[in-house]
């Protein structure tokens, strides 16, 4: 999958702007958490090439970039969780879920 990696807090400004053109998906991933690994693997297995035309996906390794994870929570007014999926449109989060609530079909359905 060609997901973009979030590794600089400055990218959040770009993500907000990009979301005005196309919804953005942020997957906050804890590389040491088995639940996060399972959720990430399920998304990867189900992701289809044409999904890239519906949403611009980003992934954050929150263990390496905890300050960015905190900035995401603040910038998009969502409570920090891990793993977590956040959908952003028009610069604002309109959907977020975490842990076993992360479901490919539901995420794609939110893009509607």
């Amino acid at each position: 999958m060609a997901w973009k990696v979030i590794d600089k807090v400055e990218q959040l400004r770009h993500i907000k702007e990009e979301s005005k053109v196309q919804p953005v998906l942020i997957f906050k991933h804890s590389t040491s958490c088995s639940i996060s690994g399972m959720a990430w693997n399920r998304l990867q297995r189900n992701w289809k090439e044409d999904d890239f035309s519906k949403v611009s996906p980003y992934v954050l390794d929150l263990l390496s970039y905890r300050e960015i994870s905190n900035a995401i929570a603040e910038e998009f007014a969502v409570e920090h969780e891990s793993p977590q999926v956040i959908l952003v449109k028009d610069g604002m989060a309109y959907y977020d879920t975490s842990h076993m609530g992360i479901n490919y079909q539901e995420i794609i359905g939110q893009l509607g």
Side-chain angles (χ1 to χ4, degrees), residues 1-2 4 7 11 13 17 19 21 27-29 32 34 36 50 67 80 82 84 92 95 101 103 105 107:
M1 289 192 308
K4 300 169 200 158
D7 58 6
Q11 288 175 272
R13 184 175 48 82
E17 289 303 311
S19 77
V21 177
F27 183 86
K28 290 171 48 177
H29 180 37
S32 68
S34 61
S36 188
D50 69 332
E67 73 283 355
H80 164 76
S82 167
Q84 184 175 31
M92 299 182 344
Y95 172 84
N103 177 288
Q105 292 297 341
I107 292 166

Side-chain angles (χ1 to χ4, degrees), residues 41-78:
N41 286 334
R42 280 196 326 234
L43 271 181
Q44 288 178 309
R45 281 194 319 268
N46 288 292
W47 196 264
K48 295 172 183 44
E49 190 63 32
D50 69 332
D51 293 336
F52 290 108
S53 67
K54 300 173 193 169
V55 64
S56 182
Y58 286 80
V59 63
L60 170 72
D61 174 350
L62 68 91
L63 294 181
S64 295
Y65 301 102
R66 180 60 190 222
E67 73 283 355
I68 298 174
S69 179
N70 292 337
I72 288 170
E74 185 176 322
E75 186 70 36
F76 296 108
V78 296

Side-chain angles (χ1 to χ4, degrees), residues 92-106:
M92 299 182 344
Y94 70 94
Y95 172 84
D96 76 280
T97 191
S98 67
H99 296 83
M100 298 313 289
I102 297 172
N103 177 288
Y104 168 81
Q105 292 297 341
E106 187 172 323

